[in-house]
């Protein structure tokens, strides 16, 4: 069984989600991996990839389009399939790019598509996997009617393990660009870490009281090497930038650690964080629903608690 | 110019989701149906565009693939400001089936701008727009956080993979909307509700391509142990516990 894994690079790095996908693909019986990494890479990343791969990893070492050109990516992958043969299974790590590509690759391969996959297949013929549905409120078992499958994994459903020596080589293709789009402006957001890939997130809600009180929260994120996030009303009020908004109508995150400061834990907020490994709640109301979702909790005033945590986190380093 | 908004009919976001006695179906009794939040924002933006560009937009059509119980949601979309509603009479089992019906519809009834949402609140398939684009052969714009019309051209704001772009593109387009497309969803006003009663709602028969995927069972989330509480006066302990016990820092 040929298993295709794909990622683009960002800042010359491969996202962790790629290693999760390699691990997923490599854990299946009889699976032989052919992976494609598109975009520039730093040297140390190549060695890293060899450790996780079991099979072949190809590197398309060219600068990627500035805008999200679906035509370009589809063409690239189609050229790859033309040369290396069509895969039986496609495993995609959670990324915004894969979220767009997955459904289109599935159509190209006449494969069934499942997003938000949270388990290794329960069964391979026909394919059966578990996934989140209803915004993480329930798990569904999905069976495919197709022979081939495309799975988009939920973030953080498995920890990458080193599977052995993968083969890493360059691969080239003549890229084709979608015509008729003019780029007027490009901005990079201030934050270096993508929220969807952050391992640690410190997040603030309306209980933070106002934008001028965010300093200790930012300091805690910095001391822990994490990213900052917020609830929807906080971004709606303009206290924090929109890209920090977490929840059903914001970003869906799955870090190892999510610290919710002054967030009540509304069901729409929880829908965005339920994939987190450890949730910490700091809230002055012991009845706040966030404590139901949390693994650790402090009933108290964020303005008192946060500076203490910053101190302790700095000492840890 | 014609705008279409693809509307998914989903349970209210606060609904507690539980299965029926068989364990294989969601218990839909008592569910309150709403426009999928993204589609509601897309519709809001479509109406704003029509208001801001007087005379440029001939109509806003809302399209839904759903059984008859979807009609209340379509009526709501009409009350908010859509001009016409289409219901394709099928209960799609996956995003492919929904995309297939929509593609057949748009092949027959083209639109210049077609809005889809980044994700539905029920399937969370996050696939319909991308599939529709390939099936219909219409350019797909993912990650759309804003759209404006300027002299026959469409200006699209795209936020994806940590980049934020402003692009000029010409229709036809499928705009897959996300956060930012509109801030406050329009709600129906009394006049809108009255007007909606006489606006056309057409039911079309489905093409029934058949789904690629099928839910065969549901499973509740694993039960979670109660949170370990740490005293406020002892807050520094939290860092220690996260380091030594949870091992996440
Ligand atoms: C369709 C729809 C989609 C939505 N999508 C999202 C979404 O994606 N993300 C999202 O977050 N919300 C979403 N919401 C909104 C959601 O329902 C809640 O309103 C929102 O999450 C509440 O934000 P909050 O917890 O910051 O504020 P509040 O609910 O006001 O909670 C503030 C909390 O802070 C605590 N607090 C106050 N002062 C202090 C203090 N000094 N120290 C410690 N604690 C304190 C309070 O006890 C309270 O629990 C959505 C709503 C709808 C209808
Ligand atoms: N049954 C449907 N009828 C019309 N549009 C739909 C339907 N299902 C999904 N969509 C559109 O596709 C988007 C994404 O849905 P999904 O692929 O289910 O996550 C939604 O926000 C809608 O715009």
């Amino acid at each position: 069984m040929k298993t295709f894994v794909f990622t683009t690079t960002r800042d010359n790095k491969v996202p962790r989600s790629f290693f999760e996908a390699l691990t997923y693909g490599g854990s299946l019986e009889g699976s032989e991996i052919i992976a494609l990494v598109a975009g520039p890479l730093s040297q140390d990343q190549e060695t890293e990839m060899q450790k996780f791969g079991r099979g072949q990893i190809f590197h398309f070492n060219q600068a990627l389009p500035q805008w999200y050109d679906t035509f370009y990516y589809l063409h690239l992958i189609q050229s790859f399939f033309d040369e290396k043969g069509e895969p039986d299974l496609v495993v995609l790590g959670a990324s915004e790019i894969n979220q767009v590509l997955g459904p289109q690759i599935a159509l190209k391969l006449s494969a069934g598509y499942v997003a938000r996959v949270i388990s290794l297949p329960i069964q391979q013929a026909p394919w059966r996997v578990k996934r989140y549905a209803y915004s993480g409120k329930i798990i569904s078992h999905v069976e495919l009617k197709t022979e081939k499958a495309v799975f988009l994994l939920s973030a953080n459903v498995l920890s990458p393990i080193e599977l052995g020596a993968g083969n890493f080589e360059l691969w080239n293709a003549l890229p084709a660009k979608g015509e008729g789009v003019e780029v007027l402006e490009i901005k990079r957001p201030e934050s270096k870490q993508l929220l969807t890939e952050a391992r640690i997130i410190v997040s603030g809600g309306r209980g933070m009281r106002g934008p001028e009180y965010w300093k200790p929260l930012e300091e805690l994120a910095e001391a822990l090497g994490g990213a900052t996030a917020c609830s929807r009303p906080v971004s709606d009020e303009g206290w924090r930038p929109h890209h920090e908004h977490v929840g059903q109508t914001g970003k869906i995150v799955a870090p190892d650690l999510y610290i919710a400061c002054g967030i009540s834990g509304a069901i729409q907020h929880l829908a965005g964080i339920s994939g987190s490994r450890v949730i910490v709640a700091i809230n002055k109301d012991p009845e706040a629903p966030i404590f139901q979702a949390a693994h650790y909790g402090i009933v108290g005033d964020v303005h008192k608690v946060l500076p203490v945590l910053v101190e302790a986190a700095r000492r840890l380093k | 110019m014609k705008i279409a908004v693809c509307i998914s009919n989903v349970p209210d976001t606060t609904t507690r989701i539980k299965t029926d006695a068989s364990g294989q179906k969601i218990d839909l009794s008592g569910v309150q149906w709403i426009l999928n939040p993204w589609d509601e924002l897309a519709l809001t933006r479509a109406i704003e565009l029509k208001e801001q560009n007087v005379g440029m937009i001939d109509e806003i059509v809302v399209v839904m693939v759903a059984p008859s119980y979807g009609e209340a949601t379509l009526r709501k979309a009409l009350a908010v400001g859509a001009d016409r509603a289409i219901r394709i009479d099928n209960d799609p089992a996956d995003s492919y089936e929904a995309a297939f019906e929509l593609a057949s519809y748009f092949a027959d009834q083209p639109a210049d701008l077609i809005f889809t949402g980044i994700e539905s609140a029920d399937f969370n398939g996050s696939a319909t727009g991308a599939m529709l684009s390939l099936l219909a052969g219409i350019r797909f714009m993912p990650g759309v956080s804003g759209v404006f019309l300027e002299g026959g051209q469409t200006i699209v704001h795209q936020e994806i993979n940590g980049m934020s772009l402003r692009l000029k593109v010409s229709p036809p387009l499928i705009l897959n909307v996300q956060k930012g497309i509109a801030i406050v969803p329009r709600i129906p006003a009394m006049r809108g509700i009255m007007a909606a009663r006489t606006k056309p709602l057409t039911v079309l028969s489905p093409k029934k391509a058949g789904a690629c995927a099928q839910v065969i069972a549901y499973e509740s989330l694993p039960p979670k142990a109660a949170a370990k509480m740490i005293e406020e006066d002892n807050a520094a302990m939290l860092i220690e516990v996260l380091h030594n016990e949870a091992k996440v820092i």
Side-chain angles (χ1 to χ4, degrees):
Chain A
M1 179 179 65
K2 216 177 209 162
T3 305
F4 177 66
V5 180
F6 178 79
T7 191
T8 53
T9 64
R10 187 171 176 270
D11 294 334
N12 301 325
K13 282 206 282 285
V14 161
R16 178 186 145 111
S17 61
F18 179 66
F19 297 110
E20 293 176 1
L22 280 182
T23 304
Y24 188 102
S27 311
L28 302 179
E29 207 163 301
S31 151
E32 172 210 330
I33 291 189
I34 48 162
L36 178 60
V37 176
L41 271 181
S42 61
Q43 201 73 50
D44 57 318
Q45 289 280 300
E46 300 186 3
T47 6
E48 191 69 3
M49 262 183 292
Q50 282 155 359
K51 286 192 253 164
F52 287 90
R54 178 157 69 193
Q56 293 170 288
I57 301 177
F58 294 92
H59 181 203
F60 175 71
N61 188 15
Q62 293 197 24
L64 301 175
Q66 294 171 303
W67 65 288
Y68 189 100
D69 184 349
T70 51
F71 183 79
Y72 176 94
Y73 289 106
L74 259 190
H75 181 85
L76 186 73
I77 286 171
Q78 187 63 58
S79 316
F80 187 78
F81 290 168
D82 287 347
E83 202 181 304
K84 311 281 175 205
E86 285 195 348
D88 307 288
L89 173 69
V90 177
V91 181
L92 299 171
S95 78
E96 291 184 29
I97 290 204
N98 282 344
Q99 191 176 3
V100 180
L101 265 178
Q104 301 199 327
I105 296 177
L107 280 186
K108 287 263 178 213
L109 296 174
S110 304
Y113 180 67
V114 192
R116 292 222 198 181
V117 169
I118 56 165
S119 77
L120 285 168
I122 311 168
Q123 176 183 303
Q124 291 200 13
W127 290 105
R128 231 182 236 188
V129 281
K130 295 187 191 187
R131 67 180 300 262
Y132 283 128
Y134 291 90
S135 304
K137 289 181 207 163
I138 202 160
I139 293 165
S140 65
H141 296 209
V142 175
E143 185 175 290
L144 295 185
K145 297 176 175 176
T146 51
E147 237 166 79
K148 296 186 175 191
V150 178
F151 296 147
L152 178 74
L153 306 184
S154 285
N156 217 353
V157 292
L158 44 74
S159 301
I161 40 175
E162 297 182 4
L163 291 171
N167 192 33
F168 186 87
E169 58 187 274
L170 283 173
W171 175 79
N172 219 335
L174 272 182
K177 291 200 165 81
E179 301 289 325
V181 176
E182 190 186 331
V183 178
L184 302 176
E185 192 186 341
I186 301 184
K187 269 189 299 200
R188 280 196 77 118
E190 319 76 76
S191 54
K192 281 167 247 101
Q193 277 191 62
L194 285 186
L195 213 46
T196 44
E197 279 164 21
R199 313 308 302 159
I200 294 175
I201 295 175
V202 188
S203 187
R206 224 158 22 191
M208 293 293 294
R209 209 178 324 153
E212 65 276 29
Y213 298 101
W214 239 264
K215 191 132 186 273
L217 191 152
E218 288 179 320
E219 286 173 344
L220 181 60
E222 200 191 313
L224 297 174
T228 54
C230 66
S231 69
R232 170 158 138 178
V234 164
S235 80
D236 282 354
E237 300 275 342
W239 295 1
R240 300 294 297 174
H242 281 300
H243 59 78
E244 286 198 357
H245 162 192
V246 160
Q248 185 170 13
T249 49
K251 294 234 160 69
I252 293 174
V253 299
D256 289 331
L257 174 62
Y258 186 87
I259 305 182
C261 310
I263 294 178
S264 60
I267 197 159
Q268 298 96 347
H269 189 81
L270 299 181
I273 66 168
S274 52
S276 310
R277 204 161 283 169
V278 172
I279 296 175
V280 173
I282 306 164
N283 196 304
K284 68 175 183 190
D285 173 11
E287 301 299 323
I290 188 76
F291 288 117
Q292 302 299 315
H295 303 87
Y296 297 96
I298 298 179
V299 176
D301 182 350
V302 276
H303 304 291
K304 279 201 216 135
V305 171
L306 274 174
V308 178
L309 296 182
V310 173
E311 271 279 299
R314 284 183 180 153
R315 251 183 283 131
L316 192 69
K317 278 205 297 191
Chain B
M1 183 178 231
K2 183 167 151 185
I3 299 184
V5 184
C6 301
I7 307 265
S8 182
N9 182 43
V10 300
D12 181 88
T13 53
T14 55
T15 308
R16 301 245 166 240
I17 297 295
K18 50 187 191 311
T19 53
D20 66 7
S22 74
Q24 285 165 353
K25 284 211 164 67
I26 299 295
D27 178 4
L28 296 175
S29 58
V31 163
Q32 200 187 335
W33 298 95
I34 59 165
L35 283 89
N36 186 42
W38 297 115
D39 308 344
E40 188 180 33
L41 291 171
L43 175 61
T44 301
R45 186 62 198 148
I47 295 165
E48 289 169 359
L49 285 173
K50 192 175 171 193
E51 289 168 355
Q52 289 162 7
N53 301 272
V54 180
M56 254 183 78
I57 289 151
D58 306 314
E59 63 167 357
I60 299 171
V61 186
V62 285
V63 189
M64 175 188 283
V65 187
S68 57
Y69 63 78
E71 287 189 6
T73 300
L74 280 176
R75 285 276 171 221
K76 187 178 167 203
L78 292 172
V80 170
D83 300 302
R84 208 152 62 74
I86 306 289
R87 179 173 71 81
I88 302 164
D89 188 27
N90 193 356
D91 191 2
D94 68 353
S95 301
Y96 172 73
E97 212 176 3
F100 189 90
E101 298 293 356
L102 293 168
S104 318
Y105 171 76
F106 289 118
D108 199 39
Q109 299 285 323
D112 301 289
L113 299 180
I114 301 173
F115 285 98
T116 53
I118 193 165
E119 185 173 71
S120 62
D122 51 357
F123 290 159
N124 308 134
S126 58
T128 306
M131 286 186 175
L132 169 60
S133 144
L134 260 197
L135 291 170
I138 302 172
R139 170 174 277 150
F140 188 57
M141 302 301 292
V144 174
S145 60
V147 57
F148 302 86
L149 300 176
E150 275 171 31
Q153 297 273 10
T154 316
I155 308 295
V156 172
H157 294 193
Q158 184 178 61
E159 270 171 51
I160 200 158
N161 218 29
M163 300 295 282
S164 160
L165 301 112
R166 214 155 55 82
L167 307 167
K168 190 158 140 187
V169 227
S170 22
L173 297 168
I174 293 174
L175 303 165
N176 208 43
V177 308
Q178 60 162 342
K179 186 171 164 64
I181 185 70
I183 304 301
V184 186
R186 288 277 169 108
I187 50 167
M190 201 55 210
R191 248 184 66 205
I193 296 169
M194 298 302 286
R197 292 194 188 145
T198 54
K199 287 182 180 172
L201 191 162
T202 313
V203 181
L204 300 177
S205 46
K207 296 283 188 293
K208 295 232 172 173
C212 297
Q214 186 184 16
V215 175
I216 49 164
Y218 285 98
E219 180 184 318
S220 333
L221 302 181
K224 200 189 83 37
K228 275 196 185 172
M229 301 307 287
I230 292 164
E231 291 298 319
E232 184 180 15
D233 297 336
N234 210 359
M237 257 282 286
L238 175 67
I239 297 295
E240 207 170 292
V241 172
L242 291 176
H243 182 61
N244 294 321
E245 188 181 282
K247 299 194 188 329
V248 284
I249 59 173

